[in-house]
PDB file of all heavy atoms in Angstrom:
ATOM      1  N   VAL A 565       4.893  -5.766   2.689  1.00 77.00           N
ATOM      2  CA  VAL A 565       4.461  -6.323   1.406  1.00 77.00           C
ATOM      3  C   VAL A 565       4.987  -5.460   0.258  1.00 77.00           C
ATOM      4  O   VAL A 565       5.493  -5.968  -0.753  1.00 77.00           O
ATOM      5  CB  VAL A 565       2.927  -6.423   1.337  1.00 77.00           C
ATOM      6  CG1 VAL A 565       2.466  -6.789  -0.074  1.00 77.00           C
ATOM      7  CG2 VAL A 565       2.429  -7.481   2.318  1.00 77.00           C
ATOM      8  N   PHE A 566       4.897  -4.145   0.413  1.00 83.00           N
ATOM      9  CA  PHE A 566       5.412  -3.249  -0.630  1.00 83.00           C
ATOM     10  C   PHE A 566       6.915  -3.444  -0.814  1.00 83.00           C
ATOM     11  O   PHE A 566       7.409  -3.529  -1.936  1.00 83.00           O
ATOM     12  CB  PHE A 566       5.128  -1.793  -0.270  1.00 83.00           C
ATOM     13  CG  PHE A 566       5.721  -0.806  -1.249  1.00 83.00           C
ATOM     14  CD1 PHE A 566       5.080  -0.530  -2.436  1.00 83.00           C
ATOM     15  CD2 PHE A 566       6.927  -0.170  -0.981  1.00 83.00           C
ATOM     16  CE1 PHE A 566       5.612   0.372  -3.353  1.00 83.00           C
ATOM     17  CE2 PHE A 566       7.470   0.719  -1.890  1.00 83.00           C
ATOM     18  CZ  PHE A 566       6.813   0.994  -3.085  1.00 83.00           C
ATOM     19  N   ASN A 567       7.650  -3.519   0.283  1.00 79.00           N
ATOM     20  CA  ASN A 567       9.093  -3.685   0.182  1.00 79.00           C
ATOM     21  C   ASN A 567       9.457  -4.991  -0.496  1.00 79.00           C
ATOM     22  O   ASN A 567      10.405  -5.055  -1.290  1.00 79.00           O
ATOM     23  CB  ASN A 567       9.740  -3.628   1.572  1.00 79.00           C
ATOM     24  CG  ASN A 567       9.851  -2.220   2.091  1.00 79.00           C
ATOM     25  OD1 ASN A 567       9.742  -1.254   1.331  1.00 79.00           O
ATOM     26  ND2 ASN A 567      10.038  -2.074   3.389  1.00 79.00           N
ATOM     27  N   GLU A 568       8.729  -6.048  -0.197  1.00 68.00           N
ATOM     28  CA  GLU A 568       8.993  -7.323  -0.850  1.00 68.00           C
ATOM     29  C   GLU A 568       8.664  -7.227  -2.330  1.00 68.00           C
ATOM     30  O   GLU A 568       9.391  -7.741  -3.171  1.00 68.00           O
ATOM     31  CB  GLU A 568       8.183  -8.437  -0.200  1.00 68.00           C
ATOM     32  CG  GLU A 568       8.562  -9.819  -0.682  1.00 68.00           C
ATOM     33  CD  GLU A 568      10.008 -10.182  -0.396  1.00 68.00           C
ATOM     34  OE1 GLU A 568      10.505  -9.882   0.702  1.00 68.00           O
ATOM     35  OE2 GLU A 568      10.648 -10.771  -1.293  1.00 68.00           O
ATOM     36  N   GLY A 569       7.563  -6.547  -2.638  1.00 63.00           N
ATOM     37  CA  GLY A 569       7.190  -6.385  -4.039  1.00 63.00           C
ATOM     38  C   GLY A 569       8.125  -5.459  -4.780  1.00 63.00           C
ATOM     39  O   GLY A 569       8.340  -5.596  -5.976  1.00 63.00           O
ATOM     40  N   TYR A 570       8.724  -4.505  -4.058  1.00 56.00           N
ATOM     41  CA  TYR A 570       9.591  -3.499  -4.675  1.00 56.00           C
ATOM     42  C   TYR A 570      10.973  -4.048  -4.978  1.00 56.00           C
ATOM     43  O   TYR A 570      11.575  -3.721  -5.984  1.00 56.00           O
ATOM     44  CB  TYR A 570       9.709  -2.304  -3.730  1.00 56.00           C
ATOM     45  CG  TYR A 570      10.383  -1.088  -4.325  1.00 56.00           C
ATOM     46  CD1 TYR A 570       9.764  -0.358  -5.338  1.00 56.00           C
ATOM     47  CD2 TYR A 570      11.617  -0.665  -3.875  1.00 56.00           C
ATOM     48  CE1 TYR A 570      10.360   0.765  -5.883  1.00 56.00           C
ATOM     49  CE2 TYR A 570      12.228   0.467  -4.411  1.00 56.00           C
ATOM     50  CZ  TYR A 570      11.595   1.176  -5.415  1.00 56.00           C
ATOM     51  OH  TYR A 570      12.198   2.278  -5.942  1.00 56.00           O
ATOM     52  N   SER A 571      11.474  -4.924  -4.080  1.00 52.00           N
ATOM     53  CA  SER A 571      12.851  -5.381  -4.248  1.00 52.00           C
ATOM     54  C   SER A 571      12.999  -6.890  -4.259  1.00 52.00           C
ATOM     55  O   SER A 571      14.097  -7.397  -4.387  1.00 52.00           O
ATOM     56  CB  SER A 571      13.723  -4.823  -3.106  1.00 52.00           C
ATOM     57  OG  SER A 571      13.243  -5.275  -1.850  1.00 52.00           O
ATOM     58  N   GLY A 572      11.907  -7.645  -4.128  1.00 50.00           N
ATOM     59  CA  GLY A 572      12.008  -9.076  -4.015  1.00 50.00           C
ATOM     60  C   GLY A 572      11.650  -9.801  -5.294  1.00 50.00           C
ATOM     61  O   GLY A 572      11.708  -9.269  -6.396  1.00 50.00           O
ATOM     62  N   ASP A 573      11.273 -11.078  -5.117  1.00 51.00           N
ATOM     63  CA  ASP A 573      11.025 -11.943  -6.257  1.00 51.00           C
ATOM     64  C   ASP A 573       9.580 -11.888  -6.742  1.00 51.00           C
ATOM     65  O   ASP A 573       9.263 -12.381  -7.817  1.00 51.00           O
ATOM     66  CB  ASP A 573      11.365 -13.388  -5.879  1.00 51.00           C
ATOM     67  CG  ASP A 573      12.818 -13.520  -5.437  1.00 51.00           C
ATOM     68  OD1 ASP A 573      13.659 -12.839  -6.035  1.00 51.00           O
ATOM     69  OD2 ASP A 573      13.095 -14.283  -4.502  1.00 51.00           O
ATOM     70  N   ILE A 574       8.675 -11.347  -5.945  1.00 52.00           N
ATOM     71  CA  ILE A 574       7.252 -11.300  -6.289  1.00 52.00           C
ATOM     72  C   ILE A 574       6.812  -9.840  -6.363  1.00 52.00           C
ATOM     73  O   ILE A 574       7.104  -9.056  -5.473  1.00 52.00           O
ATOM     74  CB  ILE A 574       6.408 -12.036  -5.228  1.00 52.00           C
ATOM     75  CG1 ILE A 574       6.876 -13.492  -5.100  1.00 52.00           C
ATOM     76  CG2 ILE A 574       4.926 -11.988  -5.575  1.00 52.00           C
ATOM     77  CD1 ILE A 574       6.202 -14.243  -3.988  1.00 52.00           C
ATOM     78  N   ASP A 575       6.109  -9.497  -7.455  1.00 59.00           N
ATOM     79  CA  ASP A 575       5.685  -8.110  -7.619  1.00 59.00           C
ATOM     80  C   ASP A 575       4.371  -7.882  -6.884  1.00 59.00           C
ATOM     81  O   ASP A 575       3.290  -8.134  -7.404  1.00 59.00           O
ATOM     82  CB  ASP A 575       5.531  -7.783  -9.101  1.00 59.00           C
ATOM     83  CG  ASP A 575       5.209  -6.314  -9.317  1.00 59.00           C
ATOM     84  OD1 ASP A 575       5.152  -5.578  -8.312  1.00 59.00           O
ATOM     85  OD2 ASP A 575       5.024  -5.906 -10.467  1.00 59.00           O
ATOM     86  N   LEU A 576       4.470  -7.397  -5.656  1.00 69.00           N
ATOM     87  CA  LEU A 576       3.299  -7.083  -4.849  1.00 69.00           C
ATOM     88  C   LEU A 576       3.154  -5.578  -4.626  1.00 69.00           C
ATOM     89  O   LEU A 576       2.256  -5.145  -3.913  1.00 69.00           O
ATOM     90  CB  LEU A 576       3.383  -7.785  -3.486  1.00 69.00           C
ATOM     91  CG  LEU A 576       3.375  -9.309  -3.507  1.00 69.00           C
ATOM     92  CD1 LEU A 576       3.676  -9.847  -2.122  1.00 69.00           C
ATOM     93  CD2 LEU A 576       2.040  -9.833  -3.998  1.00 69.00           C
ATOM     94  N   ALA A 577       4.066  -4.794  -5.206  1.00 81.00           N
ATOM     95  CA  ALA A 577       4.081  -3.365  -4.904  1.00 81.00           C
ATOM     96  C   ALA A 577       2.794  -2.671  -5.335  1.00 81.00           C
ATOM     97  O   ALA A 577       2.228  -1.863  -4.593  1.00 81.00           O
ATOM     98  CB  ALA A 577       5.287  -2.705  -5.573  1.00 81.00           C
ATOM     99  N   ALA A 578       2.303  -2.969  -6.544  1.00 81.00           N
ATOM    100  CA  ALA A 578       1.091  -2.313  -7.030  1.00 81.00           C
ATOM    101  C   ALA A 578      -0.105  -2.660  -6.150  1.00 81.00           C
ATOM    102  O   ALA A 578      -0.960  -1.810  -5.883  1.00 81.00           O
ATOM    103  CB  ALA A 578       0.829  -2.715  -8.484  1.00 81.00           C
ATOM    104  N   GLU A 579      -0.177  -3.918  -5.695  1.00 76.00           N
ATOM    105  CA  GLU A 579      -1.281  -4.311  -4.822  1.00 76.00           C
ATOM    106  C   GLU A 579      -1.193  -3.590  -3.482  1.00 76.00           C
ATOM    107  O   GLU A 579      -2.217  -3.154  -2.935  1.00 76.00           O
ATOM    108  CB  GLU A 579      -1.244  -5.833  -4.621  1.00 76.00           C
ATOM    109  CG  GLU A 579      -2.243  -6.370  -3.605  1.00 76.00           C
ATOM    110  CD  GLU A 579      -3.690  -6.310  -4.082  1.00 76.00           C
ATOM    111  OE1 GLU A 579      -3.958  -5.662  -5.116  1.00 76.00           O
ATOM    112  OE2 GLU A 579      -4.557  -6.895  -3.409  1.00 76.00           O
ATOM    113  N   ALA A 580       0.018  -3.457  -2.940  1.00 83.00           N
ATOM    114  CA  ALA A 580       0.176  -2.741  -1.672  1.00 83.00           C
ATOM    115  C   ALA A 580      -0.248  -1.283  -1.819  1.00 83.00           C
ATOM    116  O   ALA A 580      -0.898  -0.721  -0.928  1.00 83.00           O
ATOM    117  CB  ALA A 580       1.625  -2.834  -1.194  1.00 83.00           C
ATOM    118  N   ILE A 581       0.105  -0.658  -2.942  1.00 90.00           N
ATOM    119  CA  ILE A 581      -0.296   0.730  -3.180  1.00 90.00           C
ATOM    120  C   ILE A 581      -1.813   0.824  -3.293  1.00 90.00           C
ATOM    121  O   ILE A 581      -2.442   1.730  -2.729  1.00 90.00           O
ATOM    122  CB  ILE A 581       0.377   1.285  -4.453  1.00 90.00           C
ATOM    123  CG1 ILE A 581       1.885   1.462  -4.215  1.00 90.00           C
ATOM    124  CG2 ILE A 581      -0.252   2.610  -4.868  1.00 90.00           C
ATOM    125  CD1 ILE A 581       2.656   1.860  -5.450  1.00 90.00           C
ATOM    126  N   ARG A 582      -2.425  -0.108  -4.004  1.00 85.00           N
ATOM    127  CA  ARG A 582      -3.875  -0.096  -4.176  1.00 85.00           C
ATOM    128  C   ARG A 582      -4.583  -0.160  -2.828  1.00 85.00           C
ATOM    129  O   ARG A 582      -5.513   0.607  -2.556  1.00 85.00           O
ATOM    130  CB  ARG A 582      -4.312  -1.272  -5.051  1.00 85.00           C
ATOM    131  CG  ARG A 582      -5.793  -1.254  -5.422  1.00 85.00           C
ATOM    132  CD  ARG A 582      -6.187  -2.531  -6.159  1.00 85.00           C
ATOM    133  NE  ARG A 582      -6.232  -3.671  -5.262  1.00 85.00           N
ATOM    134  CZ  ARG A 582      -7.266  -3.982  -4.495  1.00 85.00           C
ATOM    135  NH1 ARG A 582      -8.343  -3.205  -4.484  1.00 85.00           N
ATOM    136  NH2 ARG A 582      -7.238  -5.047  -3.721  1.00 85.00           N
ATOM    137  N   LEU A 583      -4.146  -1.074  -1.975  1.00 84.00           N
ATOM    138  CA  LEU A 583      -4.791  -1.246  -0.677  1.00 84.00           C
ATOM    139  C   LEU A 583      -4.533  -0.045   0.237  1.00 84.00           C
ATOM    140  O   LEU A 583      -5.426   0.395   0.970  1.00 84.00           O
ATOM    141  CB  LEU A 583      -4.300  -2.531  -0.015  1.00 84.00           C
ATOM    142  CG  LEU A 583      -4.759  -3.826  -0.697  1.00 84.00           C
ATOM    143  CD1 LEU A 583      -4.046  -5.031  -0.091  1.00 84.00           C
ATOM    144  CD2 LEU A 583      -6.272  -3.998  -0.603  1.00 84.00           C
ATOM    145  N   THR A 584      -3.321   0.490   0.198  1.00 90.00           N
ATOM    146  CA  THR A 584      -3.012   1.648   1.035  1.00 90.00           C
ATOM    147  C   THR A 584      -3.788   2.868   0.566  1.00 90.00           C
ATOM    148  O   THR A 584      -4.278   3.666   1.379  1.00 90.00           O
ATOM    149  CB  THR A 584      -1.500   1.946   1.008  1.00 90.00           C
ATOM    150  OG1 THR A 584      -0.783   0.762   1.353  1.00 90.00           O
ATOM    151  CG2 THR A 584      -1.148   3.045   2.005  1.00 90.00           C
ATOM    152  N   ARG A 585      -3.945   3.009  -0.738  1.00 90.00           N
ATOM    153  CA  ARG A 585      -4.740   4.116  -1.267  1.00 90.00           C
ATOM    154  C   ARG A 585      -6.194   3.990  -0.791  1.00 90.00           C
ATOM    155  O   ARG A 585      -6.815   4.981  -0.399  1.00 90.00           O
ATOM    156  CB  ARG A 585      -4.683   4.128  -2.800  1.00 90.00           C
ATOM    157  CG  ARG A 585      -5.284   5.389  -3.416  1.00 90.00           C
ATOM    158  CD  ARG A 585      -5.418   5.235  -4.920  1.00 90.00           C
ATOM    159  NE  ARG A 585      -4.157   5.027  -5.586  1.00 90.00           N
ATOM    160  CZ  ARG A 585      -3.303   5.993  -5.896  1.00 90.00           C
ATOM    161  NH1 ARG A 585      -3.589   7.238  -5.581  1.00 90.00           N
ATOM    162  NH2 ARG A 585      -2.175   5.720  -6.528  1.00 90.00           N
ATOM    163  N   GLN A 586      -6.718   2.759  -0.804  1.00 85.00           N
ATOM    164  CA  GLN A 586      -8.092   2.569  -0.360  1.00 85.00           C
ATOM    165  C   GLN A 586      -8.221   2.865   1.135  1.00 85.00           C
ATOM    166  O   GLN A 586      -9.184   3.495   1.571  1.00 85.00           O
ATOM    167  CB  GLN A 586      -8.545   1.141  -0.629  1.00 85.00           C
ATOM    168  CG  GLN A 586     -10.013   0.931  -0.278  1.00 85.00           C
ATOM    169  CD  GLN A 586     -10.459  -0.502  -0.431  1.00 85.00           C
ATOM    170  OE1 GLN A 586      -9.668  -1.359  -0.795  1.00 85.00           O
ATOM    171  NE2 GLN A 586     -11.711  -0.763  -0.141  1.00 85.00           N
ATOM    172  N   LEU A 587      -7.219   2.419   1.916  1.00 87.00           N
ATOM    173  CA  LEU A 587      -7.249   2.688   3.353  1.00 87.00           C
ATOM    174  C   LEU A 587      -7.191   4.190   3.617  1.00 87.00           C
ATOM    175  O   LEU A 587      -7.850   4.698   4.535  1.00 87.00           O
ATOM    176  CB  LEU A 587      -6.085   1.973   4.039  1.00 87.00           C
ATOM    177  CG  LEU A 587      -6.034   2.033   5.563  1.00 87.00           C
ATOM    178  CD1 LEU A 587      -7.313   1.466   6.165  1.00 87.00           C
ATOM    179  CD2 LEU A 587      -4.814   1.281   6.088  1.00 87.00           C
ATOM    180  N   ALA A 588      -6.416   4.910   2.813  1.00 89.00           N
ATOM    181  CA  ALA A 588      -6.334   6.363   2.962  1.00 89.00           C
ATOM    182  C   ALA A 588      -7.678   7.023   2.658  1.00 89.00           C
ATOM    183  O   ALA A 588      -8.044   8.028   3.283  1.00 89.00           O
ATOM    184  CB  ALA A 588      -5.251   6.928   2.046  1.00 89.00           C
ATOM    185  N   GLU A 589      -8.428   6.443   1.696  1.00 85.00           N
ATOM    186  CA  GLU A 589      -9.745   6.988   1.382  1.00 85.00           C
ATOM    187  C   GLU A 589     -10.748   6.715   2.495  1.00 85.00           C
ATOM    188  O   GLU A 589     -11.678   7.497   2.712  1.00 85.00           O
ATOM    189  CB  GLU A 589     -10.250   6.373   0.071  1.00 85.00           C
ATOM    190  CG  GLU A 589      -9.446   6.785  -1.164  1.00 85.00           C
ATOM    191  CD  GLU A 589      -9.831   5.972  -2.384  1.00 85.00           C
ATOM    192  OE1 GLU A 589     -10.677   5.060  -2.256  1.00 85.00           O
ATOM    193  OE2 GLU A 589      -9.276   6.243  -3.474  1.00 85.00           O
ATOM    194  N   GLU A 590     -10.554   5.607   3.206  1.00 81.00           N
ATOM    195  CA  GLU A 590     -11.493   5.212   4.262  1.00 81.00           C
ATOM    196  C   GLU A 590     -11.219   5.931   5.588  1.00 81.00           C
ATOM    197  O   GLU A 590     -12.089   5.984   6.457  1.00 81.00           O
ATOM    198  CB  GLU A 590     -11.411   3.696   4.490  1.00 81.00           C
ATOM    199  CG  GLU A 590     -11.762   2.851   3.286  1.00 81.00           C
ATOM    200  CD  GLU A 590     -13.249   2.761   3.044  1.00 81.00           C
ATOM    201  OE1 GLU A 590     -13.999   3.124   3.962  1.00 81.00           O
ATOM    202  OE2 GLU A 590     -13.648   2.346   1.939  1.00 81.00           O
ATOM    203  N   THR A 591     -10.000   6.435   5.765  1.00 81.00           N
ATOM    204  CA  THR A 591      -9.616   7.052   7.038  1.00 81.00           C
ATOM    205  C   THR A 591      -8.984   8.411   6.789  1.00 81.00           C
ATOM    206  O   THR A 591      -8.706   8.790   5.660  1.00 81.00           O
ATOM    207  CB  THR A 591      -8.592   6.176   7.793  1.00 81.00           C
ATOM    208  OG1 THR A 591      -7.342   6.199   7.078  1.00 81.00           O
ATOM    209  CG2 THR A 591      -9.065   4.741   7.913  1.00 81.00           C
ATOM    210  N   ARG A 592      -8.737   9.133   7.875  1.00 83.00           N
ATOM    211  CA  ARG A 592      -7.945  10.368   7.799  1.00 83.00           C
ATOM    212  C   ARG A 592      -6.738  10.227   8.728  1.00 83.00           C
ATOM    213  O   ARG A 592      -6.383  11.147   9.441  1.00 83.00           O
ATOM    214  CB  ARG A 592      -8.802  11.580   8.184  1.00 83.00           C
ATOM    215  CG  ARG A 592      -9.715  12.054   7.080  1.00 83.00           C
ATOM    216  CD  ARG A 592     -10.406  13.356   7.429  1.00 83.00           C
ATOM    217  NE  ARG A 592      -9.483  14.409   7.813  1.00 83.00           N
ATOM    218  CZ  ARG A 592      -8.799  15.161   6.948  1.00 83.00           C
ATOM    219  NH1 ARG A 592      -8.934  14.968   5.652  1.00 83.00           N
ATOM    220  NH2 ARG A 592      -8.005  16.113   7.388  1.00 83.00           N
ATOM    221  N   HIS A 593      -6.146   9.056   8.696  1.00 91.00           N
ATOM    222  CA  HIS A 593      -5.003   8.750   9.547  1.00 91.00           C
ATOM    223  C   HIS A 593      -3.729   9.296   8.886  1.00 91.00           C
ATOM    224  O   HIS A 593      -3.429   8.968   7.740  1.00 91.00           O
ATOM    225  CB  HIS A 593      -4.913   7.235   9.750  1.00 91.00           C
ATOM    226  CG  HIS A 593      -4.036   6.817  10.876  1.00 91.00           C
ATOM    227  ND1 HIS A 593      -2.668   6.962  10.854  1.00 91.00           N
ATOM    228  CD2 HIS A 593      -4.335   6.243  12.071  1.00 91.00           C
ATOM    229  CE1 HIS A 593      -2.152   6.496  11.983  1.00 91.00           C
ATOM    230  NE2 HIS A 593      -3.144   6.049  12.737  1.00 91.00           N
ATOM    231  N   GLU A 594      -2.978  10.110   9.637  1.00 94.00           N
ATOM    232  CA  GLU A 594      -1.798  10.759   9.055  1.00 94.00           C
ATOM    233  C   GLU A 594      -0.764   9.748   8.572  1.00 94.00           C
ATOM    234  O   GLU A 594      -0.119   9.936   7.529  1.00 94.00           O
ATOM    235  CB  GLU A 594      -1.136  11.691  10.090  1.00 94.00           C
ATOM    236  CG  GLU A 594      -2.000  12.854  10.533  1.00 94.00           C
ATOM    237  CD  GLU A 594      -3.019  12.448  11.575  1.00 94.00           C
ATOM    238  OE1 GLU A 594      -2.907  11.324  12.110  1.00 94.00           O
ATOM    239  OE2 GLU A 594      -3.935  13.247  11.857  1.00 94.00           O
ATOM    240  N   GLU A 595      -0.592   8.662   9.320  1.00 95.00           N
ATOM    241  CA  GLU A 595       0.418   7.690   8.941  1.00 95.00           C
ATOM    242  C   GLU A 595      -0.006   6.845   7.739  1.00 95.00           C
ATOM    243  O   GLU A 595       0.839   6.366   6.995  1.00 95.00           O
ATOM    244  CB  GLU A 595       0.759   6.784  10.131  1.00 95.00           C
ATOM    245  CG  GLU A 595       1.749   7.402  11.100  1.00 95.00           C
ATOM    246  CD  GLU A 595       3.128   7.547  10.473  1.00 95.00           C
ATOM    247  OE1 GLU A 595       3.344   8.530   9.722  1.00 95.00           O
ATOM    248  OE2 GLU A 595       3.989   6.700  10.718  1.00 95.00           O
ATOM    249  N   VAL A 596      -1.307   6.674   7.542  1.00 94.00           N
ATOM    250  CA  VAL A 596      -1.766   6.016   6.319  1.00 94.00           C
ATOM    251  C   VAL A 596      -1.367   6.871   5.119  1.00 94.00           C
ATOM    252  O   VAL A 596      -0.839   6.373   4.123  1.00 94.00           O
ATOM    253  CB  VAL A 596      -3.286   5.788   6.349  1.00 94.00           C
ATOM    254  CG1 VAL A 596      -3.762   5.185   5.028  1.00 94.00           C
ATOM    255  CG2 VAL A 596      -3.666   4.879   7.512  1.00 94.00           C
TER     256      VAL A 596
END
């Protein structure tokens, strides 16, 4: 979703960052 928002026709990058940031707050997963 971020890649599509970053280089595609629809700006989804900010939403992908928002959700990933929230997931990082909810977990301590290194890959998150």
